[in-house]
Amino acid sequence: MRLTTVMAWLVVVAGFVFGLNFLLNGHGAAAGFGIVDPSGYYVVKGVRDLAYALTALILLVLRQRRALGWVVLADSVIPIGDFFSVVTSGGSLAYAAAVHGSAAVLVLITAALLLRESAHAPSAPAGDLRPRPATAR
């Protein structure tokens, strides 16, 4: 197995371990993260949202629409998790549904459309930024 493949798997596993640790052991994970002031989590949330946006942007610019569809589908757990976080942490169900529920629906529809579209259209090679003609359906 190539070193880059091993390293990529380590990144994936680390993401799962850290994410699950915060979900299952929030206080311990927070202490291990090193943030004492809760407002530090705003930076963490902002950086993670920007990282997701950059991942989607890269796939969109490289015209990797099928991969983008799968990434958008996988990342639908973000607004779904946000919905449940608001509801289980004393927030309003109406607000959670209006903000995070609607975002989840939009993300899931977008993923479905991207995956449906890319199943019918040929993919451009990575790095090929030339416009592709629209295909008839």
Side-chain angles (χ1 to χ4, degrees), residues 46-117:
V47 168
R48 292 198 170 129
D49 286 350
L50 288 171
Y52 163 71
L54 287 170
T55 301
L57 176 64
I58 290 166
L59 292 171
L60 188 61
V61 168
L62 293 177
R63 299 191 178 166
Q64 298 297 313
R65 297 177 77 79
R66 186 150 186 85
L68 176 59
W70 285 112
V71 166
V72 170
L73 179 62
D75 286 337
S76 69
V77 300
I78 295 169
I80 294 167
D82 292 348
F83 171 88
F84 286 109
S85 178
V86 169
V87 170
T88 60
S89 298
S92 156
L93 176 61
Y95 185 83
V99 175
H100 305 294
S102 65
V105 169
L106 178 66
V107 169
L108 288 167
I109 290 171
T110 301
L113 291 172
L114 281 164
L115 290 169
R116 181 175 177 264
E117 170 190 280

Side-chain angles (χ1 to χ4, degrees), residues 7-21:
M7 293 174 70
W9 275 107
L10 286 174
V11 168
V12 170
V13 169
F16 277 110
V17 169
F18 296 145
L20 288 172
N21 191 28

